[in-house]
Amino acid sequence: MTDHTDDTTGAGEGHEPEQKPTGEVIHFNPWRDFNDAPLQEDPFGIEPDPEQLATFLDVVFGYCEGLIPVRGFVDKGQGRDGKPNNIWIDADGSAFDKLKTFATWAWREGAALYVIPGTVAAQGQARAHEVLQMQAVVVDLDAGDILAKLTHLVHHLGTPTLIVESGGRTPEGALKLHVWWKLTEAATGDDLATLCRLRGDIAMKVAGDTHFRSAHQPIRVAGSVYHKGGFQRLVQIREHNAIEVDLGDFAERVAAMPFIPGMGAEPSPEGHTKPSLDAILTTPVHEGGQDAWTRFEGASAAIGHYVRMVHQGKLSPNDGWEAICQYNAAMLRPAWPEERLKQESERLWALHVKKNGPALLRNEAEIASDAPVSMTAFKLRHLLADKSPMPPDIIAPRVLTPGGLLVLGGAPKVGKSDFLISMLVHMAAGVPFLGFQPPAALRVYYLQAEIQYHYLRERLQQIRLDAEIIMAALDNLVATPKLRLLLDEKGLALAAASIQEHFPDAPPDIICLDPIRNLFDGGEDGGGENDNNAMMFFLTERVERLREAVAPDCGVILAHHTKKMNRKAVTEDPFQALSGASALRGFYTSGLLMHRPDEDSTMRKLEIELRNGPALQPKLIDKENGRWVEINLMNERLVRKEVGAKHDAERERKGGVIVDMIAAQAAQGKMFTLSQFAAKFENKGSLGGETSIRNRIHVLATKGYIKFVRGEEAERLGLPRASMKYGYLCVKDMLFQTPAEELDAETGEIEPVVVRVRPTDFMCPQTGALLTVENPDVWVDQEEV
C-alpha cells in the first residue's frame, strides 16, 4: 500500500457549491444555515464525528463482507513526521467501534484517516487485485470549478448518496469534494472491474482525480479530522440522501454523460485495450473514430512520450516540439491545427511537471556531447607517449577522482554517518581528514535520507572541530534533512533542481547520497537492491544521470549498509560484506568499509579499495574527545586478539591487587622491600609465584605506580634501614601506621600515629636506575609524562 500523504495521490478534496441539492444533512450547523459569512477556521480544534463515521461506513461498506483496509498517514505541513499505521477491520457490526477508536487515535496524532473503499480477504492485503468487493462509486473533485463539475454530475448521473467536504481547498479557496453513489449490492468479479472503470471514466469526463480508476486508491473517511498545513477541519458530510443505484443503470448514465466542456478528456470506450507506444507512433489514425483509437488518444500518447523525453533530459525542448509536429503531420489524418497541438502539449507538460517535479532541461550541445559519432580508441604508442599531468584528485590519494564513484559501507550504528559528516565538513573546508587530502575547499551537496532535521543539526553542532575549519566550510556544505524520496524520475529532477539552486555560480565538486537503500529505484521492473539488473539501472540511470545533469566531472559518494558476516570472513575479504547486488562492487572506482574488529572495543577499522590507484593500507580509527583520529597500526595486536586481551586484563588485575595490598599492609604498620613482598605474598590473591610478582612490581615501578622509600624518610617512619637496593615499596597517597602512640584529646584514648608516606626515589623508565624524587609531595606517574 503506497503512503499517500497528499490528496493528489491519496484522496482529493473539493469545494462547496452555492446551491445544495436537498437531502438529509448529517452535520447540522445552525449558524451556517442563517449566516452567509465566509467559513472560519476553529482555532481550538475539533474532534471526530461518530455519527458521520457511521453514515460513511454504511454507504461505503454496508453490503460488503471481508476486511476493510484502514490507513493513518500524518498530514503534511504540521512540522512533524510519522510512519503510516495500517489496520484491517471486519466489515461487520464491530466495524464502527473499531473505526471510531482508530479515528480518535489519528486525531490525537495529527494523522489523516483513510480507507480503501472495498474489502479484502486477509490481513496485509491492500493491492488492487486483492480488493474483492466494493459497493459505491466515487469521484474526487479537487481542482478547477468544483461547482460546475458537481452540477454537471448531478444533472447527468442523478442525485448522489453522499457529498463530502474532504477538508482541502483549491488555490481559489473552494472546498474540495468527494461525491458518492451507493449501489444496490456489493460488486464482485467483472462487476468490480466495471465499477472501477466507471470511476475512471467519470473522473476523465469532469477532470476529477483519475487515480480512482484503481481499486486500491485510498480516500479520506467522512467524520475524521483533516490536519494538513496546521489547520484542523472536519471531513464533513455536506449532504446524505437515502439513494441507491443499480450498477447497470448507472453505467448507462455514465456512458451517456458528455465530458464537461474545456475540462474533461474523452474516456476510453468499454473493452478498449490500450495500444503500445510503438503502435501509436507508427500507425496513422483518422478522424471520426474509424481506427482502433481516436486521434485524441493517439496525439495524447505521442505528446506524452515526447514530454517525458524532454523532462528526462533525453531530448532538448526544440527537438521534442519538432518530434511532436512530425507525428502530427505524419500520423493524424487530418492533422491537428498547430494551436491545438501547442495547447495539448503545454497541458500535458504542466501535468507532468506537477506530478514529477522540475525537468532536467538540456540544450542541444549538451545532448550531442553525450552521443559520440564514433568509438574512441588509442594505440599503445599514443598511450605510452602521453606524459601529460594526471587530473588532480578530488580527494587524494586517488580516493575520489574526477567522475569517480566512492562507496562508503558499514553496518548500522557503526558510526558511518558520523564519519561521513566529519569527512564532508573537512573536504568543504579544504582540510585533510585522516590522511584524505582535498586540493582546495570543495563544494559539497549532501543528500541524505536517514537523519531528521533537528537531529542532523544536533550532530553537526556536536562535531568538535577547530573554528577555522567550521568557518571555511559554512557555505560550501549543503545538507538536506531526512527526505522521503526515491531517486526516480521525479526525485532525480527535484535533486538536480535543488543542487543547481544551492550552487548557482559553480557546480558542486562532490554529491553524496546517504544511504542507497532509502533512495533506491530499480526501474519499472521493481527489482530491489539485491537484483544486479536493478542495481545497474540505479547506478547508470539514476546516479550517473544526476551527475551528468549537474556536474559531469564531480565525484559521487554513496553510503551503503553491510550485511551480516562473521568477523573472519570480513577480515579475509571486507568488501564482500557490502549489502545487495555484487554489481555495485564492479561499478565503483573506490570503496571504504568501516567495521569493528573487536566488538568490545570502540576502535573501527577502515578498509580501503582503489581501482584508479595503488592499494592503500587499512586505517585503525576511533573517536577521541569528539574527533575522529587515526591510531598507529603498529599498536594493534594482529594474532590471537581475544587471548591477548584476556592476558592484558589479567595483568592489569594483578597490578591493581599489588598496589592495593601494599597500601593495606602499610595501614597495618607493615612495609616491605621488593623481594620480601614477593616472597611473603607468593600465590596469594591469585598473584602467582615470586618471580611473577617481582616482574609485575618492576613494570608498575617503571610506569610510576610504585615508588620507593629509603634513608632518612625510612628512619622517620621507624623502619630499619633496608639492605636492598630499592628500599621499601610505596604507592600514591599511602598512609603508614607507625609504632608511636598519641593521646586523643577528645576521647582520652591512646591511638597509634598514622602518617603519610612520601617517596624518596623512583625508577627511571629509560634505564631502570633509581633517581631522587624532586618534590615528594607531588606524585608523578611516568605514563602521564
Side-chain angles (χ1 to χ4, degrees):
M1 179 75 195
T2 305
D3 178 1
H4 296 291
T5 56
D6 190 296
D7 288 324
T8 59
T9 58
E13 290 130 0
H15 103 59
E16 177 180 355
E18 296 176 1
Q19 297 178 354
K20 306 175 185 178
T22 60
E24 178 186 358
V25 178
I26 296 298
H27 186 83
F28 177 71
N29 187 330
W31 179 254
R32 287 185 62 195
D33 283 353
F34 297 98
N35 192 322
D36 60 357
L39 179 66
Q40 301 296 318
E41 306 294 349
D42 181 357
F44 302 105
I46 53 177
E47 299 182 9
D49 188 325
E51 293 184 11
Q52 297 196 47
L53 289 173
T55 300
F56 179 86
L57 272 175
D58 177 69
V59 171
V60 182
F61 299 104
Y63 299 141
C64 289
E65 297 177 348
L67 297 175
I68 303 170
V70 184
R71 303 290 179 261
F73 303 116
V74 173
D75 265 329
K76 65 181 183 180
Q78 303 179 81
R80 59 194 296 188
D81 293 320
K83 294 182 179 179
N85 285 272
N86 307 327
I87 65 171
W88 283 257
I89 62 177
D90 292 307
D92 57 19
S94 66
F96 170 71
D97 289 334
K98 294 176 182 177
L99 188 63
K100 179 182 175 183
T101 300
F102 196 81
T104 302
W105 168 87
W107 165 62
R108 290 174 180 167
E109 295 296 320
L113 179 59
Y114 289 83
V115 295
I116 293 175
T119 55
V120 297
Q123 297 271 349
Q125 293 183 347
R127 289 176 287 188
H129 69 274
E130 294 169 338
V131 176
L132 301 180
Q133 295 186 1
M134 303 180 83
Q135 68 172 53
V137 180
V138 64
V139 60
D140 175 11
L141 305 180
D142 59 355
D145 191 342
I146 307 292
L147 174 59
K149 295 178 181 181
L150 180 59
T151 303
H152 187 82
L153 289 170
V154 173
H155 177 72
H156 291 282
L157 302 183
T159 302
T161 309
L162 281 184
I163 300 177
V164 178
E165 298 172 1
S166 64
R169 303 288 191 270
T170 67
E172 298 77 21
L175 299 174
K176 298 181 180 181
L177 301 179
H178 300 158
V179 186
W180 296 86
W181 288 267
K182 182 180 179 181
L183 300 180
T184 55
E185 61 182 353
T188 61
D190 292 340
D191 287 343
L192 179 58
T194 299
L195 186 153
C196 292
R197 178 180 58 80
L198 292 179
R199 297 201 313 182
D201 290 351
I202 295 170
M204 292 180 69
K205 288 191 174 185
V206 296
D209 188 348
T210 56
H211 288 89
F212 284 87
R213 186 183 292 277
S214 298
H216 70 304
Q217 181 69 19
I219 192 165
R220 288 184 188 266
V221 175
S224 65
V225 178
Y226 171 106
H227 303 271
K228 193 177 292 185
F231 292 104
Q232 285 194 358
R233 306 184 185 109
L234 190 68
V235 182
Q236 179 169 284
I237 296 177
R238 173 189 292 183
E239 180 176 315
H240 175 213
N241 300 291
I243 291 175
E244 297 181 357
V245 297
D246 177 78
L247 180 61
D249 293 341
F250 194 73
E252 292 180 3
R253 297 183 204 172
V254 174
M257 181 177 72
F259 59 91
I260 191 167
M263 298 186 192
E266 184 179 359
S268 302
E270 185 173 0
H272 174 66
T273 301
K274 184 178 180 180
S276 67
L277 179 62
D278 287 341
I280 288 283
L281 296 178
T282 58
T283 306
V285 57
H286 300 78
E287 66 178 347
Q290 304 175 41
D291 304 294
W293 55 87
T294 65
R295 287 192 305 161
F296 177 83
E297 289 177 310
S300 295
I303 294 172
H305 167 68
Y306 293 119
V307 160
R308 286 190 297 274
M309 297 284 284
V310 173
H311 188 273
Q312 295 169 10
K314 296 178 180 179
L315 286 178
S316 70
N318 289 337
D319 287 343
W321 172 245
E322 182 178 349
I324 291 171
C325 292
Q326 289 175 353
Y327 170 83
N328 181 47
M331 297 299 162
L332 297 188
R333 311 287 176 80
W336 276 7
E338 183 176 339
E339 186 62 28
R340 183 179 181 187
L341 196 67
K342 186 175 295 184
Q343 288 178 353
E344 184 65 11
S345 300
E346 291 173 352
R347 183 181 74 86
L348 293 178
W349 175 262
L351 289 174
H352 194 75
V353 170
K354 180 180 179 181
K355 179 179 179 181
N356 297 285
L360 293 172
L361 293 180
R362 303 166 69 194
N363 57 41
E364 286 82 352
E366 290 176 324
I367 296 172
S369 66
D370 291 343
V373 295
S374 62
M375 183 177 295
T376 303
F378 299 97
K379 290 183 178 180
L380 177 61
R381 180 189 305 278
H382 173 88
L383 296 173
L384 294 177
D386 188 353
K387 303 296 184 182
S388 59
M390 296 294 293
D393 297 336
I394 297 175
I395 301 177
R398 303 288 177 92
V399 174
L400 186 61
T401 53
L405 177 66
L406 166 64
V407 172
L408 170 62
K413 311 303 181 185
V414 76
K416 178 175 69 274
S417 293
D418 190 276
F419 173 87
L420 180 58
I421 290 172
S422 296
M423 183 173 73
L424 294 180
V425 172
H426 280 80
M427 298 302 104
V431 176
F433 177 70
L434 301 179
F436 301 145
Q437 174 72 52
L442 303 177
R443 296 175 297 276
V444 181
Y445 188 89
Y446 180 33
L447 192 159
Q448 65 89 28
E450 272 195 328
I451 309 171
Q452 295 172 342
Y453 169 77
H454 296 292
Y455 305 101
L456 175 65
R457 66 181 176 89
E458 179 185 52
R459 186 170 292 189
L460 285 167
Q461 291 167 11
Q462 289 176 346
I463 294 178
R464 296 188 179 181
L465 297 174
D466 296 335
E468 294 79 6
I469 296 178
I470 298 294
M471 293 299 296
L474 285 178
D475 296 321
N476 285 338
L477 174 59
V478 176
T480 68
K482 179 179 180 179
L483 296 178
R484 291 184 175 178
L485 174 76
L486 283 182
L487 206 62
D488 52 12
E489 290 292 346
K490 181 177 181 179
L492 198 64
L494 289 172
S498 178
I499 294 171
Q500 292 164 348
E501 175 187 354
H502 287 90
F503 296 103
D505 300 325
D509 300 297
I510 296 175
I511 298 173
C512 181
L513 308 179
D514 179 17
I516 289 178
R517 179 171 300 167
N518 292 10
L519 300 166
F520 189 83
D521 173 44
E524 295 182 357
D525 294 337
E529 59 181 283
N530 294 316
D531 185 316
N532 276 311
N533 291 332
M535 179 61 75
M536 287 302 296
F537 178 89
F538 175 75
L539 294 172
T540 57
E541 295 300 316
R542 298 298 183 241
V543 176
E544 288 300 325
R545 281 189 51 210
L546 178 61
R547 188 212 306 263
E548 292 170 5
V550 295
D553 291 329
C554 78
V556 174
I557 300 176
L558 301 181
H560 196 34
H561 295 303
T562 55
K563 56 192 174 185
K564 291 184 178 180
M565 290 179 63
N566 63 60
R567 196 170 294 117
K568 181 180 179 182
V570 173
T571 303
E572 292 175 352
D573 191 352
F575 291 90
Q576 283 294 339
L578 288 174
S579 179
S582 59
L584 175 64
R585 190 177 183 186
F587 194 88
Y588 64 65
T589 57
S590 53
L592 301 177
L593 191 130
M594 181 186 294
H595 65 98
R596 291 182 187 270
D598 185 350
E599 289 298 325
D600 296 327
S601 172
T602 60
M603 290 188 297
R604 288 83 155 176
K605 197 167 188 179
L606 195 65
E607 309 283 353
I608 308 172
E609 183 176 56
L610 302 183
R611 184 161 289 119
N612 290 340
L616 296 180
Q617 289 298 315
K619 296 176 181 287
L620 198 63
I621 60 176
D622 202 354
K623 290 200 75 173
E624 293 183 0
N625 299 321
R627 304 186 184 194
W628 288 98
V629 296
E630 185 174 359
I631 299 171
N632 190 343
L633 278 173
M634 295 298 293
N635 298 329
E636 183 190 15
R637 182 178 280 114
L638 298 179
V639 296
R640 304 188 68 187
K641 297 181 179 181
E642 295 183 1
V643 174
K646 290 180 180 179
H647 290 170
D648 291 342
E650 176 61 13
R651 282 189 286 268
E652 185 175 348
R653 185 197 66 80
K654 287 182 178 180
V657 170
I658 290 172
V659 169
D660 291 343
M661 290 180 70
I662 292 173
Q665 291 294 315
Q668 299 175 16
K670 302 174 184 177
M671 290 182 63
F672 299 90
T673 64
L674 190 154
S675 297
Q676 286 303 109
F677 184 91
K680 182 174 179 59
F681 294 102
E682 182 180 27
N683 293 325
K684 292 184 180 180
S686 300
L687 294 179
E690 183 178 350
T691 303
S692 176
I693 296 175
R694 290 174 61 88
N695 291 339
R696 184 55 30 199
I697 291 176
H698 196 274
V699 170
L700 293 171
T702 301
K703 294 183 176 181
Y705 296 115
I706 292 178
K707 297 185 181 181
F708 306 95
V709 177
R710 299 195 305 167
E712 294 181 357
E713 179 64 15
E715 293 179 356
R716 183 181 73 85
L717 298 175
L719 300 171
R721 285 185 175 269
S723 59
M724 299 298 294
K725 172 183 177 182
Y726 295 109
Y728 294 95
L729 303 177
C730 170
V731 298
K732 187 176 182 180
D733 297 328
M734 189 171 84
L735 299 177
F736 176 69
Q737 179 178 307
T738 67
E741 295 179 339
E742 62 181 358
L743 179 66
D744 189 322
E746 294 183 359
T747 64
E749 295 180 357
I750 297 177
E751 297 179 346
V753 176
V754 177
V755 298
R756 182 169 176 268
V757 180
R758 300 187 303 172
T760 60
D761 300 272
F762 70 97
M763 183 176 289
C764 176
Q766 285 81 30
T767 64
L770 280 186
L771 301 178
T772 302
V773 173
E774 294 182 4
N775 185 354
D777 293 318
V778 178
W779 188 281
V780 178
D781 291 338
Q782 295 305 315
E783 279 196 330
E784 294 180 359
V785 176

